[in-house]
Amino acid sequence: MKMQGKYKMLVLDMDDTLLNDEHQISVVNHEKLMEAQRAGLRVVLASGRPTPAMLQYGRDLKLGKYQSHLVAYNGGVILDMANEQEVFAQQLTVAQIHQLYDYAQEAGLNIMTYTATDIITPNHCQYVTVEQELTNMRVHVVEDFKAFVQQPAVKCIIVGEPDRLKATAPLLRMAHPDKSVAISKPFFLEVTQQGIDKAASIDRLAKSLNIGAEEVIAVGNAGNDLSMVEYAGLGVWVENVDPALRDRADVIVASNNDHGVAEVIDRFVF
């Protein structure tokens, strides 16, 4: 089947967008993505997940064979899947991570950051368990978070009860204008370096490939996807989008459990 539209790149959020509630790519979505790549569409996975928690999905979709990329840590890292090497990375400084820890402590919230292999946190709460299950990374609970964290990291996540996080997000943005803040799940407040978000890194990648924003489709479901959905020539939500965001995209397709990604490809690529 030949591509009929103007789009050259399809950017997909993973959790609750490409992946169903069992954290799997459905057979329908997988077959359609492989068909699209064979026809010349560049498929990019863009997630808040750490790179290690994205790699197997990228390999399964054979992104390396098709010269494509992963955008990890909400845009903090771009990985070339052809050689699985970073082509871009932007980290929070140690001082910034310590500031976020202090902020979380004062707000009565928990915090996570990352090493190459581990999730680092002062408390192993239910929300840390969610991240552990999503990423399959080890959790290292440290007694003195600031003493332990002496290296930069790409991202921190402040976690807590959803209503509190929703109220905290604008306050954190005002208190820390040197950082980018986005809600990825109702209980995850993700923080990266200033200017880092999915749209900024997708724009960087697209320009390197001579692809214009108008030639990009971006599909997501949550607040940390909003920048790329508004950036893309075609911005798409899956049906299970955060209700507050429903009017911020061009199109809404079927949910993550009903093969919404395949619908995007059928309607707008072929």
Side-chain angles (χ1 to χ4, degrees):
M1 189 176 293
K2 293 184 179 180
M3 291 168 52
Q4 300 297 322
K6 63 180 181 179
Y7 301 109
K8 297 180 179 179
M9 179 184 285
L10 173 63
V11 184
L12 302 171
D13 170 55
M14 290 180 58
D15 293 296
D16 304 313
T17 299
L18 171 61
L19 305 184
N20 60 26
D21 289 351
E22 285 71 50
H23 311 303
Q24 298 174 342
I25 302 174
S26 72
V27 172
V28 173
N29 278 343
H30 190 281
E31 290 179 350
K32 194 61 65 173
L33 285 166
M34 298 312 297
E35 184 180 358
Q37 288 184 105
R38 288 192 294 270
L41 184 70
R42 193 178 296 269
V43 173
V44 176
L45 302 184
S47 176
R49 287 183 176 222
T51 309
M54 299 178 67
L55 273 172
Q56 190 54 51
Y57 295 96
R59 292 166 181 159
D60 183 46
L61 289 170
K62 302 188 185 304
L63 298 191
K65 174 182 178 179
Y66 293 103
Q67 305 293 308
S68 201
H69 297 75
L70 302 180
V71 176
Y73 293 104
N74 272 332
V77 166
I78 301 174
L79 191 84
D80 185 344
M81 281 299 294
N83 55 21
E84 297 190 0
Q85 297 295 310
E86 291 180 359
V87 294
F88 171 80
Q90 183 67 60
Q91 298 177 310
L92 293 165
T93 66
V94 172
Q96 287 175 315
I97 297 170
H98 290 182
Q99 290 168 0
L100 289 167
Y101 170 79
D102 289 339
Y103 188 94
Q105 287 291 104
E106 291 170 7
L109 300 167
N110 196 14
I111 189 170
M112 297 180 279
T113 192
Y114 302 85
T115 66
T117 57
D118 291 2
I119 299 166
I120 309 302
T121 183
N123 298 293
H124 199 325
C125 67
Q126 61 180 317
Y127 306 118
V128 173
T129 299
V130 172
E131 181 70 353
Q132 181 183 23
E133 291 174 349
L134 287 174
T135 64
N136 290 316
M137 296 176 75
R138 297 177 302 190
V139 174
H140 187 177
V141 179
V142 294
E143 185 173 348
D144 189 333
F145 184 88
K146 291 167 74 172
F148 184 89
V149 177
Q150 294 297 322
Q151 296 292 328
V154 178
K155 183 181 77 169
C156 291
I157 304 182
I158 294 175
V159 300
E161 190 273 326
D163 287 344
R164 291 192 62 198
L165 278 195
K166 187 174 182 180
T168 297
L171 301 176
L172 180 59
R173 292 188 185 101
M174 287 189 293
H176 292 268
D178 62 329
K179 304 172 184 71
S180 292
V181 178
I183 294 175
S184 59
K185 288 184 178 292
F187 40 80
F188 282 178
L189 189 59
E190 308 215 7
V191 187
T192 52
Q193 186 60 267
Q194 184 182 38
I196 294 296
D197 58 24
K198 291 187 181 184
S201 288
I202 292 161
D203 182 58
R204 179 185 297 270
L205 175 60
K207 285 177 177 174
S208 75
L209 300 170
N210 295 314
I211 294 174
E214 71 280 3
E215 298 172 305
V216 175
I217 304 173
V219 189
N221 79 293
N224 66 322
D225 303 318
L226 180 60
S227 66
M228 72 174 188
V229 165
E230 293 189 329
Y231 159 85
L234 182 68
V236 182
W237 293 133
V238 286
E239 177 61 34
N240 52 293
V241 61
D242 179 341
L245 300 174
R246 286 186 72 86
D247 63 350
R248 303 287 292 273
D250 300 305
V251 176
I252 296 177
V253 296
S255 76
N256 66 313
N257 290 320
D258 295 314
H259 326 298
V261 168
E263 180 185 337
V264 171
I265 295 169
D266 279 335
R267 288 177 60 184
F268 302 108
V269 176
F270 291 136

